[in-house]
Amino acid sequence: MLIGFFLNLRRYKLPVSITELLALLEALQRRLVFADLEEFYFLARTCTVKDEKHFDKFDRAFDAYFKDLETLDDVIEQMIPEDWLRAEFMKQLSEEEKAKVESLGGLEKLLEEFQKRLEEQKERHSGGNRWIGTGGTSPFGNSGYHPGGLRVGGQGRNRSASKVWQKRQFKNLDDSVALGTRNIQVALRKLRKLRKFARSGAAEELDLDDTISSTARNAGLLDIKMVPERHNAVKVLIFFDVGGSMDPHVRVCEELFSACRSEFKHLEYFYFHNFIYEGVWKDNRRRYQESTPLAEVLRTYGRDYKVIFVGDASMAPYEITHRYGSVEHMNEEPGAAWMERVTDSYSDLVWLNPVGEEYWQYTPSIGMTRQLVGDQMFPMTLEGMDRAIARLVKGR
């Protein structure tokens, strides 16, 4: 089972090795967890994930592998003898609980009575102290309580069986996601139009043409010529809208983010929600504790940066035009004022919108945003990306 789980983690691009697998095996051999899928989830994540940026990928991989599996009963039945399980069950009981079981005639008698009542009962039963049902004090059932009882399906009141890995609390954009669509792959090639190479630093790279020419001029004596290494000099500053109406577009944003990360050495990114205000952030989990003032961003990154906004621009118009218009905090200045500062600071700026261009006319906030960015809004399609990149290459 663990080998299959390990291979599934690799399929989801988690950087796990045999070392992590052996660590997980050792932890299980030491019985740090036993027959509890939720505890296994936390143990497996601790042993296999070394950087929290991979938590979301782990959650997706775990959910895919253990989908529809509520407990480890099927695995246990195949791996562990029934007699051992019964002995282990008795070990978990307190002396009082053992006495209760014995008062019912022992564990074997309890199991026999359970089977008998299960055969006799013809309908669902809730409450009470005899039949197999829910919410009562019968020794059999769920969601009730009896100190010597057996749980039958459902959830006990003492412990939740919720699948925490499906909550996916770690949803920052994944910069290592594979480019999954042809449109984004083609867009990646178009992004290369922005690449401007410059030579800087110490001489580290062989200049073959100059070496040949110099050697010929030197009567055949080798004269090696070096030049500084070529570096990608393009600088990109990208802002991603996250949350709310952007949730359906997370995948395409991840693909774009991954493309930019692979293409540009000088890439800076920030997140915002709905519209740009006085603060942006790098980590969605700590957005309220570690935000960055937008004024600081404008001071730090010079006018030579190419700026890309990615968002659906779909919100209430007052979120753009009004003081205190933000749905998350009390902004002292309207978002429009901050966007004007951004457009004044950067001459090369575009807005990429994942919403189809044919629907823009039905959302007033999209038209307002287009006006604020000088009509430089483009759809996130192959054709739209082509126009946006051409705009950034050409400049104003």
Side-chain angles (χ1 to χ4, degrees):
M1 182 184 78
L2 286 184
I3 292 178
F5 175 59
F6 173 78
L7 295 176
N8 193 60
L9 294 179
R10 297 290 293 268
R11 280 194 290 271
Y12 276 79
K13 309 300 181 183
L14 270 82
V16 292
S17 65
I18 296 299
T19 302
E20 284 75 36
L21 177 61
L22 293 177
L24 180 56
L25 284 171
E26 182 179 356
L28 292 175
Q29 288 172 352
R30 293 176 181 269
R31 296 188 64 189
L32 296 183
V33 302
F34 179 78
D36 189 303
L37 190 58
E38 184 174 325
E39 290 186 359
F40 175 74
Y41 159 79
F42 286 111
L43 177 66
R45 197 181 74 181
T46 300
C47 292
T48 59
V49 181
K50 304 305 181 185
D51 192 320
E52 62 183 16
K53 71 181 181 181
H54 300 303
F55 279 173
D56 188 54
K57 282 190 286 188
F58 178 85
D59 286 354
R60 285 184 276 137
F62 195 95
D63 183 47
Y65 191 77
F66 291 102
K67 189 173 183 180
D68 299 326
L69 184 64
E70 296 289 346
T71 71
L72 296 180
D73 291 346
D74 294 339
V75 178
I76 293 171
E77 288 179 2
Q78 298 175 17
M79 297 174 58
I80 305 175
E82 181 179 350
D83 292 342
W84 189 94
L85 276 178
R86 295 187 182 192
E88 188 66 20
F89 170 74
M90 294 299 293
K91 288 181 182 179
Q92 307 302 317
L93 302 181
S94 66
E95 293 302 321
E96 180 182 356
E97 290 170 333
K98 288 180 181 179
K100 289 285 186 180
V101 171
E102 292 301 322
S103 70
L104 294 172
L107 183 59
E108 294 295 333
K109 182 65 176 177
L110 187 66
L111 292 173
E112 290 177 10
E113 185 66 19
F114 166 77
Q115 184 62 36
K116 179 181 177 181
R117 293 192 192 180
L118 189 62
E119 293 173 355
E120 292 177 0
Q121 183 172 329
K122 302 302 182 182
E123 59 185 4
R124 183 182 182 275
H125 185 75
S126 181
N129 59 11
R130 172 173 173 78
W131 294 114
I132 300 169
T134 61
T137 57
S138 164
F140 316 106
N142 76 72
S143 301
Y145 179 74
H146 190 290
L150 298 178
R151 177 179 166 195
V152 184
Q155 288 186 342
R157 290 179 178 175
N158 301 323
R159 179 183 175 90
S160 171
S162 63
K163 291 186 256 184
V164 296
W165 54 89
Q166 290 185 342
K167 294 179 182 177
R168 293 187 59 202
Q169 301 178 59
F170 310 98
K171 293 186 179 179
N172 279 359
L173 297 184
D174 183 356
D175 63 344
S176 63
V177 67
L179 298 178
T181 66
R182 179 167 176 76
N183 279 4
I184 298 297
Q185 289 175 332
V186 174
L188 174 61
R189 290 198 291 269
K190 295 182 181 298
L191 284 173
R192 294 188 182 127
K193 294 179 180 179
L194 279 175
R195 300 178 72 171
K196 300 177 182 178
F197 289 98
R199 297 193 181 275
S200 60
E204 299 175 347
E205 189 175 276
L206 175 66
D207 187 338
L208 183 58
D209 291 339
D210 195 12
T211 296
I212 294 174
S213 299
S214 298
T215 300
R217 290 194 298 268
N218 202 27
L221 294 177
L222 183 61
D223 186 7
I224 297 177
K225 298 295 182 180
M226 305 291 290
V227 294
E229 186 179 1
R230 285 161 55 94
H231 296 285
N232 188 342
V234 172
K235 300 176 182 179
V236 176
L237 179 59
I238 188 166
F239 296 91
F240 286 99
D241 181 6
V242 291
S245 59
M246 280 297 293
D247 284 349
H249 308 298
V250 166
R251 178 65 182 179
V252 70
C253 289
E254 285 182 336
E255 292 172 349
L256 176 64
F257 188 37
S258 179
C260 291
R261 292 280 285 199
S262 65
E263 282 299 301
F264 304 113
K265 180 179 180 180
H266 304 287
L267 174 68
E268 298 293 339
Y269 69 92
F270 293 94
Y271 298 119
F272 67 96
H273 179 60
N274 280 6
F275 206 74
I276 198 82
Y277 297 107
E278 69 275 9
V280 291
W281 55 92
K282 285 255 187 184
D283 189 332
N284 286 313
R285 295 182 299 272
R286 301 187 60 82
R287 57 185 295 185
Y288 298 110
Q289 294 82 23
E290 297 181 0
S291 63
T292 303
L294 183 57
E296 180 180 322
V297 174
L298 301 183
R299 289 194 303 267
T300 303
Y301 305 105
R303 297 183 64 87
D304 54 339
Y305 272 82
K306 310 287 186 180
V307 176
I308 302 174
F309 279 88
V310 181
D312 60 4
S314 300
M315 69 207 84
Y318 63 78
E319 294 183 56
I320 300 174
T321 59
H322 283 63
R323 180 187 183 191
Y324 306 144
S326 170
V327 295
E328 293 195 321
H329 71 290
M330 302 296 283
N331 55 301
E332 291 294 333
E333 294 184 273
W338 284 104
M339 180 57 76
E340 288 175 3
R341 293 187 179 102
V342 175
T343 56
D344 288 342
S345 299
Y346 301 102
S347 58
D348 299 331
L349 181 149
V350 297
W351 186 297
L352 298 177
N353 195 328
V355 175
E357 192 170 7
E358 64 273 21
Y359 301 111
W360 291 0
Q361 59 180 316
Y362 304 111
T363 306
S365 59
I366 292 181
M368 297 167 64
T369 303
R370 289 182 66 184
Q371 183 176 1
L372 287 169
V373 298
D375 202 32
Q376 302 304 315
M377 180 180 287
F378 304 92
M380 287 185 67
T381 61
L382 179 59
E383 186 271 338
M385 290 288 291
D386 191 13
R387 286 191 283 141
I389 298 305
R391 165 63 183 80
L392 291 176
V393 172
K394 182 180 178 181
R396 287 186 181 176

